[in-house]
Amino acid sequence: MRLRVTSLEIIDDVADDGSEGNKISSLEAFVNYTVVLQSMAMYNIPYAVVLGGYYVSLLIVMVTAQSCFNGILFIDCFQNRNTKEFIFEHGSYPAIMEVVFSKIFGSHHKKKGRILITVILCFQFLINCSMSFVYPATMLHKCFLSSSGLSMLSWTLISSTVVIPFLFVDNARWLAKPMKVGMLAHTVALIVIVMFSTAHYDKWSPNEVRTDLNIKGLSLSTGIIYFCYNGVDVIPTIVQQMKQPRNSIPVYVLANVTTAAIMILIGYVIFFYWGVDTPEILSLKLPKAYGLTYIINVALAIKIIVTAPLLFHVIFKCMDEEKSIGAAEEALLLEEGKQSYCPFHKTKFIYVVKRLLIFLVTVIIAVFVPHLIPLASFTGSLCTSVSSSLIPIAIFFVLKRGSISYTTKLLGVISFLFSCVAMVAGIYSSISHIMSIYDSQNVIQIYH
C-alpha cells in the first residue's frame, strides 16, 4: 500500500510514459484519503464530546456532508463535463489557483494565486508541525510524570530535537516510509482503546453527556472536527495518481463517511466510560496495568513525531527556489574544471538557515501555546476551513460559472456561510480560551 500525502507537488510517482505501473488503485486512494483525514485531532474527539455533548455527533455529520460536497465540487474542477475525462494540466492546488487568478485578474497576476495558496497551506502545516511537538510532549509528560519528573517544557524540547536531523532530508518518499508504521500504531492503538472502553460497558454513564446548548464548547468542538477534515487540499495529487480517476468521487465520499463513523464511535464509547473525566487526549487515562498506558501513549507519540518531518518538507519545498547540488553534479563541476561545490556556499548556508528558522518558529509556538484543545480548534477553524472549504468553493464558482445549477449554487452558498461562521466562532473561542488560561496561571505553572 503506497501512502502519498501531499498537495504541493512533493511526490510525483506517475510514470512519464503514461503507464499505470506506478499509479494507485481505488482502494489505495481510499486509504490515502483516510490517512489524511485521521489527523492528530482524532485524539481529541472524546473531549469534544465533553464540550459539546450530543450536539457533537450532529456537527460531525454536518461537517462530513460539507466536506463531501466541497470535495465533489473540487473534483469537478478537474473534469470535462462533456467527455467525463479528467484535465490534469492544473496539476496541483497552487497550479489551479494560477488558473483562477488568470480568469479573475488576468494572466499577469496568476503567480499571485500560487503565492496565496502556498502561504495559506504553509501556515497550516507550520501550525501542524508545532502541534506535532505538543501532542507527544503532553502524552509523554502525563505518562511518565511520576517516574521521570520532567516538565512539559522538557518533553516538548525532547520531541522537537528528535526531528532536527530530518530537516535536511529532501527525499519525500523516504520521509513518507515511517508513516506506514505510524498509521499501523495509530490503528492498533485506537482499536485497543475502544476495546478497553467497551469491555467495561458496565461502568458506562451515558447520562453524563450534556444536552444543553453550550455555544463556546460547540465552537471549540467545531474547530477540532474541522481539523480532521483537511483532505480536500490533497485531491489534485490523489486524483492524478489513480488508475481509475472516475472513481475519485465515490472513493473520497466513502473515506469521509468512514472517518465520521470512526469519530462518532471513539468519541462516545470513550466518553461513556470516562464521563466528565474524559482526558484531552483519549489515551491519557489508560490503566498502568500490563504497561498499557505506556505502550499506547509511546506508540501514538512516535506516530506523530515520525509524521512531522514530512510536514516540514512541505514547507521547505515551497521555500527552496534552487535544488541543492548532489554528488553527481559536484563531480561534473570538478570534471569541467570549475570550482567545487562548497557545503558552506551561500545558497547552502541559506538552505540551512531557512530550515532552522522555520523549525525554531514551530518550537516557539509549541512552547508558548502548549494547550491542545484551543490550538487544535484554532488550526481547524482558521486553516482547514479556508483551505478545504472556502477556497475550493470559490474555485468551483470561478471555473464553472455559467454552468452551475441553482441547487448547487444554493448549497455552495450555504456551505460557504457555514464555514465562515465556524471559522469566526472557532477562532474567537480558541483565542479567548488560551487567554483565560494565561490569566489564571503564570507561565511557570503552565509548563509543569
Side-chain angles (χ1 to χ4, degrees), residues 36 62 85 130 136 166 187 221 232 237 243 272 303 310 343 361 363 382 404:
V36 176
M62 292 174 63
E85 296 295 329
S130 297
F166 301 96
T187 304
S221 299
V232 171
T237 301
K243 294 178 181 178
F272 287 163
K303 180 263 178 183
L310 192 59
V361 170
V363 173
L382 177 60
I404 306 175

Side-chain angles (χ1 to χ4, degrees), residues 212-226:
D212 60 312
L213 191 61
N214 179 17
I215 300 299
K216 185 176 181 179
L218 284 175
S219 299
L220 288 172
S221 299
T222 303
I224 294 171
I225 296 168
Y226 258 105

Side-chain angles (χ1 to χ4, degrees), residues 47 96 150 160 178 188 203 236 301 313 407:
Y47 193 78
I96 200 173
L150 294 177
S160 58
V188 173
K203 297 181 180 180
H313 185 80
T407 303

Side-chain angles (χ1 to χ4, degrees), residues 10 57 111 169 173 218 221 235 290 337 342 361 373 415 420:
I10 297 172
S57 59
K111 289 296 181 183
V169 177
R173 293 186 183 90
L218 284 175
S221 299
I235 283 178
Y290 307 107
C342 175
V361 170
I373 298 302
S415 179
C420 289

Side-chain angles (χ1 to χ4, degrees), residues 106-358:
S107 58
H108 54 290
H109 289 291
K110 68 177 184 178
K111 289 296 181 183
K112 294 179 181 178
R114 174 179 288 271
I115 293 173
L116 174 63
I117 192 61
T118 299
V119 169
I120 292 173
L121 290 176
C122 282
F123 179 76
Q124 175 178 330
F125 283 112
L126 186 72
I127 301 297
N128 286 352
C129 289
S130 297
M131 298 184 70
S132 296
F133 303 146
V134 177
Y135 273 84
T138 304
M139 293 174 179
L140 298 175
H141 173 60
K142 299 290 186 182
C143 189
F144 296 101
L145 179 60
S146 58
S147 57
S148 69
L150 294 177
S151 65
M152 177 70 178
L153 176 60
S154 300
W155 282 114
T156 302
L157 295 178
I158 292 173
S159 301
S160 58
T161 303
V162 174
V163 178
I164 292 178
F166 301 96
L167 299 177
F168 307 99
V169 177
D170 290 329
N171 191 324
R173 293 186 183 90
W174 190 89
L175 293 174
K177 288 180 180 179
M179 291 181 62
K180 298 178 181 180
V181 179
M183 283 309 300
L184 177 61
H186 165 88
T187 304
V188 173
L190 290 184
I191 292 174
V192 170
I193 296 172
V194 170
M195 289 179 63
F196 172 81
S197 302
T198 305
H200 296 82
Y201 68 92
D202 55 314
K203 297 181 180 180
W204 283 12
S205 52
N207 56 315
E208 292 187 13
V209 181
R210 65 189 308 163
T211 57
D212 60 312
L213 191 61
N214 179 17
I215 300 299
K216 185 176 181 179
L218 284 175
S219 299
L220 288 172
S221 299
T222 303
I224 294 171
I225 296 168
Y226 258 105
F227 189 19
C228 293
Y229 285 89
N230 57 0
V232 171
D233 41 331
V234 302
I235 283 178
T237 301
I238 295 181
V239 167
Q240 291 184 79
Q241 295 169 346
M242 291 181 64
K243 294 178 181 178
Q244 297 177 313
R246 292 172 180 266
N247 296 335
S248 55
I249 289 180
V251 166
Y252 180 76
V253 171
L254 181 59
N256 277 266
V257 173
T258 301
T259 301
I262 295 173
M263 290 168 64
I264 293 175
L265 174 65
I266 67 173
Y268 286 94
V269 166
I270 294 173
F271 178 86
F272 287 163
Y273 177 71
W274 294 111
V276 294
D277 295 325
T278 299
E280 289 187 347
I281 300 179
L282 50 76
S283 60
L284 291 183
K285 286 192 174 183
L286 289 172
K288 294 183 179 180
Y290 307 107
L292 186 61
T293 183
Y294 301 107
I295 295 173
I296 297 299
N297 280 285
V298 170
L300 292 179
I302 292 175
K303 180 263 178 183
I304 296 173
I305 291 175
V306 299
T307 306
L310 192 59
L311 298 178
F312 276 107
H313 185 80
V314 176
I315 303 173
F316 299 151
K317 184 71 174 180
C318 300
M319 294 173 55
D320 294 335
E321 296 178 357
E322 298 179 6
K323 295 182 179 179
S324 58
I325 299 179
E329 290 83 352
E330 185 175 2
L332 182 61
L333 288 174
L334 288 172
E335 192 175 301
E336 294 176 351
K338 296 181 180 179
Q339 184 178 3
S340 174
Y341 179 73
C342 175
F344 300 101
H345 189 271
K346 179 181 178 181
T347 55
K348 188 67 175 180
F349 176 75
I350 295 176
Y351 169 89
V352 173
V353 170
K354 285 192 296 186
R355 278 158 169 71
L356 292 178
L357 284 177
I358 291 296

